[in-house]
Amino acid sequence: EAQVTQNPRYLITVTGKKLTVTCSQNMNHEYMSWYRQDPGLGLRQIYYSMNVEVTDKGDVPEGYKVSRKEKRNFPLILESPSPNQTSLYFCASSRLTNGWSYNEQFFGPGTRLTVL
Amino acid sequence: RKEVEQDPGPFNVPEGATVAFNCTYSNSASQSFFWYRQDCRKEPKLLMSVYSSGNEDGRFTAQLNRASQYISLLIRDSKLSDSATYLCVVKGRAGGTSYGKLTFGQGTILTVHP
């Protein structure tokens, strides 16, 4: 089954304790992206990657890191989480080989993170 | 001003009603446009792309007005199952400075009641 998976789905942690949220897709997609969703603000793009070893900042990259060492994986790293990073996080992927314009983004199920 | 703006609603309509959502965007270099649907904090899923000529998929019609920088979604004959949050999404232009970027509106909540 074609899918985007994220782990963990739920995480409660404390301020300053490094964490990684994994994202993996099995559709051989070139493009992957991370978003956070907060009430009243919608989804905001954190980082995206057009291909292996190519990453770029989205609209809200502060406090986050990413890496793209393999095509299928795009982990999101919070080196020193703070309470304002409490949010619902989505990973997504899409194909690029047939163009950028109208390729559908496929989303993972989301990771609900609480930082105390 | 937000890059992509939607009326957050909520819209409460009876079954069978027609409802329309609008979305405005500020970056005139934006390339492509979409409506996504999100159910109750689940992952967003593509409802339809929005083409320059307008497009229809069953009860759903999407329109794009590049001159006025807005897109719209019309839902006819609303069903209970249409209750969800509808997200307007704008993609940056390929090859431009916003290539790779997607910007979401804050979403419009629709509730269809019996």
Side-chain angles (χ1 to χ4, degrees):
Chain A
E1 181 191 355
Q3 59 183 349
V4 179
T5 56
Q6 295 179 227
N7 282 292
R9 295 288 312 281
Y10 304 90
L11 179 60
I12 301 174
T13 189
V14 295
T15 298
K17 186 176 181 182
K18 181 180 179 180
L19 67 92
T20 299
V21 184
T22 63
C23 173
S24 184
Q25 50 93 6
N26 63 0
M27 295 170 279
N28 202 35
H29 286 167
E30 295 82 10
Y31 181 92
M32 297 186 75
S33 183
W34 276 103
Y35 303 88
R36 61 178 290 175
Q37 186 172 32
D38 303 288
L41 296 176
L43 277 90
R44 293 177 293 167
Q45 194 171 32
I46 303 172
Y47 270 95
Y48 60 95
S49 170
M50 306 294 272
N51 214 327
V52 175
E53 301 292 359
V54 180
T55 62
D56 277 292
K57 295 178 181 178
D59 293 319
V60 288
E62 295 79 19
Y64 305 94
K65 285 175 58 177
V66 293
S67 67
R68 187 90 183 274
K69 294 185 171 62
E70 307 163 282
K71 198 172 187 179
R72 64 183 294 127
N73 296 323
F74 191 44
L76 180 70
I77 303 156
L78 284 73
E79 295 269 4
S80 183
S82 62
N84 65 12
Q85 292 179 297
T86 292
S87 188
L88 178 60
Y89 291 86
F90 288 104
C91 180
S93 72
S94 70
R95 184 172 298 283
L96 275 183
T97 48
N98 291 332
W100 160 249
S101 299
Y102 287 102
N103 286 334
E104 179 181 354
Q105 291 255 305
F106 293 87
F107 284 82
T111 295
R112 189 170 292 282
L113 172 65
T114 301
V115 183
L116 302 174
Chain B
R1 181 187 172 188
K2 291 182 180 176
E3 280 192 57
V4 180
E5 290 204 69
Q6 293 180 248
D7 180 348
F11 286 65
N12 292 295
V13 303
E15 275 186 290
T18 295
V19 62
F21 307 137
N22 288 327
C23 169
T24 58
Y25 62 95
S26 59
N27 185 350
S28 59
S30 300
Q31 178 161 13
S32 44
F33 310 89
F34 308 83
W35 286 101
Y36 275 72
R37 171 192 168 128
Q38 185 177 27
D39 294 301
C40 199
R41 296 308 236 180
K42 291 194 172 181
E43 72 270 26
K45 292 184 179 178
L46 180 65
L47 177 66
M48 58 196 304
S49 304
V50 187
Y51 302 117
S52 297
S53 54
N55 47 298
E56 189 173 306
D57 183 2
R59 298 181 292 109
F60 299 85
T61 301
Q63 299 270 351
L64 166 63
N65 185 321
R66 282 192 184 270
S68 301
Q69 294 182 207
Y70 79 82
I71 69 174
S72 63
L73 177 67
L74 182 76
I75 305 175
R76 290 180 298 278
D77 188 23
S78 299
K79 312 290 185 192
L80 296 176
S81 57
D82 293 334
S83 297
T85 298
Y86 291 83
L87 304 169
C88 170
V89 184
V90 174
K91 267 190 181 178
R93 185 173 294 279
T97 55
S98 57
Y99 184 31
K101 295 189 74 173
L102 278 84
T103 306
F104 287 71
Q106 69 268 45
T108 297
I109 299 170
L110 171 66
T111 301
V112 181
H113 57 82

